[in-house]
Amino acid sequence: MTSFVRNWVILCLLVFSVGWLLAHRLDAFKLELDLLDSANHYSLYAESSSNIEHTLITEGISPKLKCRVQHNAEENYCALTILLSEADGFTNLENGKDLSIYQTLDLDIDYSTPPGNPNIRVSFRNYNSDYTKFNDYTSLKYNTFAFEPQFNNSTSAIPLSTFSVEDWWLEKFKNSKSAMYNEFDNIAFIEIFPNEISEIYDYEITVNRMILRGETINETNLLIAILALWLLLIIALVYQNTVNLKKMAITDVLTGCINRRGLTLWIDKKLFNFYLRDSLCVFYVDIDDFKKINDIYGHNAGDQLLCEFTQIVHETITSYTSVGQSYRLCRLAGDEFVIALFDLTEEEIQPLAKHLISAVTVPIQLDTCVVKISTSIGINYTEKKPEKFQDLIDRADMAMYYAKKHGKNQYKRFDKTIANDLFYRQKLSEKIKLAFDKREFHLNFMPICDSKTLHITKVEVLLRTVSENLEGIGPDVYIPIAEEYNLIHDIDMWVIEKTLQTIKQNTQLLSNSPVVFCINISALELHHDQFVTKLEILLRRYEIAPDLVELEITETSLVDTNSRSIDTLMAIRKLGVGLALDDFGTGYTAFSQLTNYPVDCLKIDRSFIRDLDTQNEIQVTMLKAVLSIAKAYKLETIAEGIETQEQLDFLRDNACHLVQGYLLSKPIEFSSLVTLLKSKKPLDQNTTKPA
Ligand code: C2E
Ligand code: MG
Ligand code: MG
């Protein structure tokens, strides 16, 4: 129920409640049955015992009954009877009139009786469908009421509840289940007659008014009914709310897909009934270069694309009829989706993957633009009941990673190669952990020079290991694995602390030859709660001026930046520590976006510098553009990977501020750096640069 519908229901019930109460007060629920109106009764007649002569005058609207008692007898009886049933004589019991909806009988009579005997009896019987057996004891229930009118021409309201079966009647009936009483049937009737009619006298009763009054519902019952309705509504709303909350907890708000929790719940339920011939297939789907869409067209377009993408995936799978309903599409996070499909056959996997890949490549119309995307899919399929569903997702994720690595816009099934790679990475992560615990890491320092003077102005701190287990494996391999297996934070903090210790121990030297220490940190630190605090504590502990430190974050790692990582960058900068965007040019940062990152320096990636030799004109133009844009944004520029004099000359001519590369110096031990700093000579090929 939407909130709009809910509000309407509440409003309507409120209006009805007030309306019903008001209507009740205005007698809208009142009922009235005029017994003298011939339209309302079946017959009106008089009866008497044989010793009484009776006359019934029905002219005009007030029937008049005259009873002349001629001599006293045992049975004295003279009554005016109104039959309210449409029964056929006394035999048809089907069409009795239900009088139970009436509460009072308004009676206005004139009568003349002998003095001292002013009583009129009124007997009343309601039709009761239970009285179906003619000779049934209860069918002869007969209610009577002693009535004593106060004044002539005045109306008395007799509550029907005061009618009761009188003992004498019951006695009479019990003793004689004879034909006399068999004539009483289920027909509702009202009788009126003089009481104790024993004296020889002319009794006369004129009935001026005889009205049954009641209400379809009394106020208390109406209130109870209204309260019950409100209670029902409240219960329905609470129930609806609970259902909504449950649904929200398992739904992705943006796309309407289920989220990770929803998927887990669904899978758990399905796996409960996983039998021998069942299968489960997981597609891990990731939109290629989704960040670009966000960057170029804005986040609204990105959000809209995710919704359209979801739609396309749903349509593609459902058009895949054999899969039917036993699948779920789940948005894990960002542009990452998981499709879990039950009972897909081996043969169906490839066509479905191809279908999906081609379906998303059609141009997608968004509000402000048309985009063309591609997707990478990792697939994991099992015919055995998986012990942990998350393992299936992880393997599909690995396969997706391979699909990306091999050029995107394709699918990859998790296979032995991937499994081996996974195993290798796991083993390597254990080795990294071991080397770290055994303190088998140390630092190298790579000089960064002023492009004009070739004096060292900065040094990049690079991690090295002496661990035999990691022999031949460089940081470019083990750092990503350390990130993957959550080892990186400890490593980064260790590098920072070790660097600050080194600075502290060489204060004297560094005050003579001040250089900035550039420390690489993983982008994961930008999401780490404690990183900035820990950095601040270390700077204080070793009393290091923050401007002696610069942190390098790779540009590609900023692909998934969110406001939180920008906040961390701001906080680092607030400490006074410099920030450099490493490997610039390998990511997708639009120049216009550079202003979003609070960085001071761009480190142009080695690949650009390498391309200077191949005379790749586009790259050369790009490099020049990067340098001039950096200048416009007042950002310092460092060119990495200078290996030839030509490269150095080009960069110097194009106003790149700083240069770093094997031409000038390889990463060196701190002792060698000390020698270089002490010599105070420019680092060009003529100097005694370290090998
Ligand atoms: P990076 O930050 O881009 O570091 C520069 C890499 O380029 C270094 O490789 C350096 O040795 C290499 N390099 C510099 N000039 C030249 C050149 O002229 N020719 C060639 N062929 N290579 C050159 P390294 O030390 O293997 O580091 C690789 C990557 O590992 C680094 O790339 C950085 O991203 C990461 N890394 C290194 N140390 C650390 C660390 O302490 N913490 C973290 N988080 N990452 C680190
Ligand atoms: Mg670096
Ligand atoms: Mg770099």
Side-chain angles (χ1 to χ4, degrees):
M1 199 194 292
T2 62
S3 63
F4 178 77
V5 175
R6 189 192 53 214
N7 291 346
W8 262 105
V9 171
I10 294 175
L11 192 72
C12 286
L13 189 57
L14 196 72
V15 170
F16 277 121
S17 304
V18 174
W20 282 329
L21 286 172
L22 223 67
H24 193 271
R25 283 290 159 100
L26 296 173
D27 292 344
F29 296 99
K30 287 273 187 284
L31 294 169
E32 208 176 82
L33 185 71
D34 186 352
L35 298 172
L36 298 183
D37 184 343
S38 59
N40 290 333
H41 61 246
Y42 171 69
S43 66
L44 187 146
Y45 59 92
E47 274 182 302
S48 69
S49 46
S50 55
N51 60 322
I52 297 174
E53 190 187 299
H54 70 263
T55 329
L56 177 64
I57 303 157
T58 52
E59 283 153 24
I61 45 162
S62 305
K64 183 182 274 188
L65 172 69
K66 286 184 179 173
C67 304
R68 171 163 296 169
V69 181
Q70 287 161 344
H71 59 90
N72 211 339
E74 209 176 295
E75 262 320 317
N76 286 344
Y77 177 68
C78 181
L80 173 78
T81 303
I82 296 175
L83 271 182
L84 293 162
S85 169
E86 291 172 25
D88 178 11
F90 284 159
T91 53
N92 186 349
L93 308 178
E94 299 300 314
N95 304 314
K97 208 174 202 107
D98 184 7
L99 304 181
S100 59
I101 47 174
Y102 301 99
Q103 281 88 42
T104 49
L105 173 68
D106 280 4
L107 197 58
D108 176 359
I109 50 177
D110 298 333
Y111 59 92
S112 77
T113 56
N117 182 15
N119 289 348
I120 294 290
R121 283 186 76 84
V122 180
S123 51
F124 163 82
R125 187 172 66 185
N126 186 26
Y127 167 80
N128 188 333
S129 59
D130 288 342
Y131 304 166
T132 47
K133 292 174 202 146
F134 200 61
N135 286 324
D136 187 352
Y137 170 78
T138 52
S139 73
L140 291 168
K141 204 190 261 177
Y142 188 85
N143 302 335
T144 60
F145 175 77
F147 174 73
E148 186 175 349
Q150 282 98 27
F151 307 102
N152 287 357
N153 269 327
S154 70
T155 302
S156 295
I158 311 168
L160 294 187
S161 58
T162 59
F163 285 74
S164 62
V165 179
E166 295 181 350
D167 293 344
W168 66 268
W169 173 254
L170 284 178
E171 276 309 308
K172 204 166 199 175
F173 168 71
K174 262 191 227 167
N175 295 338
S176 52
K177 287 180 188 166
S178 62
M180 176 190 165
Y181 297 106
N182 281 351
E183 71 192 42
F184 292 100
D185 51 37
N186 278 314
I187 296 165
F189 71 80
I190 296 238
E191 267 184 338
I192 184 160
F193 51 92
N195 191 32
E196 308 263 323
I197 183 167
S198 49
E199 265 181 73
I200 298 172
Y201 194 79
D202 278 352
Y203 294 81
E204 205 175 289
I205 303 172
T206 309
V207 184
N208 299 317
R209 187 183 305 166
M210 205 177 193
I211 297 174
L212 279 171
R213 291 192 193 281
E215 48 191 7
T216 40
I217 186 165
N218 64 29
E219 200 166 86
T220 317
N221 287 344
L222 183 64
L223 274 172
I224 291 171
I226 289 173
L227 279 177
L229 277 179
W230 278 103
L231 204 70
L232 275 178
L233 181 69
I234 289 167
I235 292 169
L237 289 179
V238 169
Y239 174 75
Q240 183 76 37
N241 226 24
T242 322
V243 170
N244 282 351
L245 282 177
K246 268 194 195 155
K247 203 173 165 204
M248 264 168 70
I250 59 163
T251 309
D252 172 55
V253 185
L254 178 66
T255 59
C257 296
I258 53 168
N259 57 20
R260 187 187 289 270
R261 206 179 121 84
L263 181 66
T264 315
L265 287 176
W266 185 71
I267 287 287
D268 285 350
K269 226 196 268 165
K270 293 285 283 182
L271 285 184
F272 195 70
N273 297 319
F274 195 93
Y275 299 112
L276 263 182
R277 255 173 282 155
D278 292 341
S279 70
L280 173 55
C281 190
V282 171
F283 280 49
Y284 200 106
V285 187
D286 187 288
I287 301 175
D288 296 329
D289 304 330
F290 179 68
K291 168 105 188 348
K292 266 191 197 168
I293 308 277
N294 266 341
D295 287 349
I296 299 169
Y297 302 108
H299 284 267
N300 284 345
D303 286 354
Q304 213 193 333
L305 174 64
L306 288 173
C307 296
E308 295 290 330
F309 177 81
T310 310
Q311 201 58 35
I312 294 172
V313 173
H314 270 307
E315 279 164 14
T316 312
I317 301 173
T318 43
S319 68
Y320 207 80
T321 46
S322 66
V323 174
Q325 280 306 303
S326 52
Y327 85 91
R328 284 290 183 278
L329 172 61
C330 155
R331 181 171 169 229
L332 283 188
D335 61 334
E336 284 173 29
F337 294 82
V338 160
I339 310 167
L341 305 112
F342 278 92
D343 305 330
L344 198 69
T345 60
E346 273 277 0
E347 298 70 49
E348 287 172 315
I349 298 173
Q350 194 174 334
L352 178 59
K354 282 186 177 165
H355 255 74
L356 284 169
I357 300 246
S358 69
V360 298
T361 51
V362 294
I364 299 172
Q365 175 73 56
L366 305 179
D367 280 348
T368 51
C369 54
V370 179
V371 291
K372 210 167 174 310
I373 56 161
S374 66
T375 180
S376 300
I377 303 176
I379 303 167
N380 192 197
Y381 178 77
T382 182
E383 286 177 342
K384 276 192 237 145
K385 186 174 180 167
E387 272 183 26
K388 268 170 73 191
F389 176 62
Q390 187 56 42
D391 290 347
L392 236 69
I393 295 188
D394 290 345
R395 286 188 208 122
D397 185 13
M398 281 287 293
M400 189 277 292
Y401 170 76
Y402 271 76
K404 286 245 186 243
K405 222 163 98 175
H406 288 91
K408 304 175 182 170
N409 192 25
Q410 55 184 287
Y411 68 90
K412 185 103 187 107
R413 265 185 82 163
F414 183 81
D415 57 13
K416 253 204 159 111
T417 328
I418 300 175
N420 287 344
D421 187 72
L422 184 66
F423 181 71
Y424 167 78
R425 294 164 87 83
Q426 248 159 8
K427 284 276 157 241
L428 200 58
S429 76
E430 285 162 21
K431 289 177 183 171
I432 299 166
K433 173 102 180 53
L434 194 70
F436 187 71
D437 291 345
K438 286 167 77 180
R439 303 187 184 280
E440 289 177 339
F441 283 104
H442 67 281
L443 301 180
N444 264 193
F445 299 85
M446 188 169 189
I448 300 172
C449 307
D450 183 298
S451 65
K452 291 207 174 73
T453 64
L454 294 187
H455 275 110
I456 303 173
T457 56
K458 292 183 175 182
V459 283
E460 179 168 8
V461 182
L462 293 164
L463 194 61
R464 295 291 177 262
T465 177
V466 288
S467 164
E468 280 179 11
N469 284 330
L470 294 174
E471 212 180 310
I473 304 169
D476 50 339
V477 176
Y478 61 69
I479 291 289
I481 292 175
E483 283 180 339
E484 200 177 318
Y485 289 88
N486 287 331
L487 303 169
I488 196 66
H489 181 69
D490 288 345
I491 295 178
D492 279 349
M493 292 324 296
W494 180 83
V495 173
I496 293 173
E497 179 154 15
K498 203 81 191 133
T499 308
L500 298 187
Q501 257 175 14
T502 310
I503 301 173
K504 177 76 181 163
Q505 286 157 4
N506 295 278
T507 321
Q508 187 67 41
L509 166 79
L510 294 172
S511 62
N512 287 334
S513 316
V515 284
V516 175
F517 285 76
C518 305
I519 306 169
N520 295 287
I521 58 157
S522 162
L524 296 181
E525 307 305 349
L526 301 185
H527 303 272
H528 197 288
D529 284 346
Q530 293 297 309
F531 178 74
V532 180
T533 319
K534 284 185 181 176
L535 175 66
E536 192 178 5
I537 291 172
L538 287 176
L539 284 167
R540 282 222 198 101
R541 183 182 303 157
Y542 294 100
E543 295 170 312
I544 306 296
D547 56 1
L548 285 184
V549 180
E550 187 166 278
L551 298 183
E552 294 187 9
I553 296 134
T554 54
E555 187 207 1
T556 39
S557 67
L558 288 183
V559 164
D560 291 322
T561 36
N562 53 23
S563 61
R564 184 165 175 198
S565 44
I566 299 282
D567 287 349
T568 313
L569 289 176
M570 295 281 202
I572 294 171
R573 218 162 145 198
K574 215 169 152 201
L575 288 181
V577 172
L579 280 171
L581 209 50
D582 205 354
D583 302 341
F584 187 76
T586 52
Y588 308 108
T589 311
F591 289 139
S592 59
Q593 250 189 305
L594 279 173
T595 43
N596 294 341
Y597 306 142
V599 292
D600 317 271
C601 175
L602 291 189
K603 284 193 83 170
I604 300 160
D605 191 62
R606 224 164 63 212
S607 54
F608 279 92
I609 314 304
R610 214 173 25 224
D611 283 332
L612 285 178
D613 299 337
T614 59
Q615 303 287 311
N616 181 335
E617 258 183 53
I618 299 173
Q619 289 292 78
V620 174
T621 317
M622 275 290 286
L623 180 56
K624 284 184 182 169
V626 169
L627 288 169
S628 66
I629 297 263
K631 193 174 168 191
Y633 284 116
K634 298 198 170 47
L635 294 171
E636 193 176 40
T637 41
I638 304 178
E640 289 186 283
I642 311 291
E643 292 184 352
T644 65
Q645 184 61 42
E646 290 72 32
Q647 291 168 347
L648 178 62
D649 293 341
F650 178 91
L651 289 156
R652 191 190 289 130
D653 295 347
N654 283 282
C656 178
H657 303 112
L658 302 169
V659 284
Q660 172 187 6
Y662 288 178
L663 176 73
L664 303 163
S665 168
K666 286 197 167 175
I668 49 176
E669 296 290 332
F670 189 73
S671 54
S672 309
L673 179 69
V674 170
T675 317
L676 280 182
L677 289 176
K678 278 186 179 161
S679 79
K680 289 195 175 256
K681 285 186 182 158
L683 257 195
D684 63 80
Q685 61 269 55
N686 298 322
T687 62
T688 48
K689 68 179 166 64

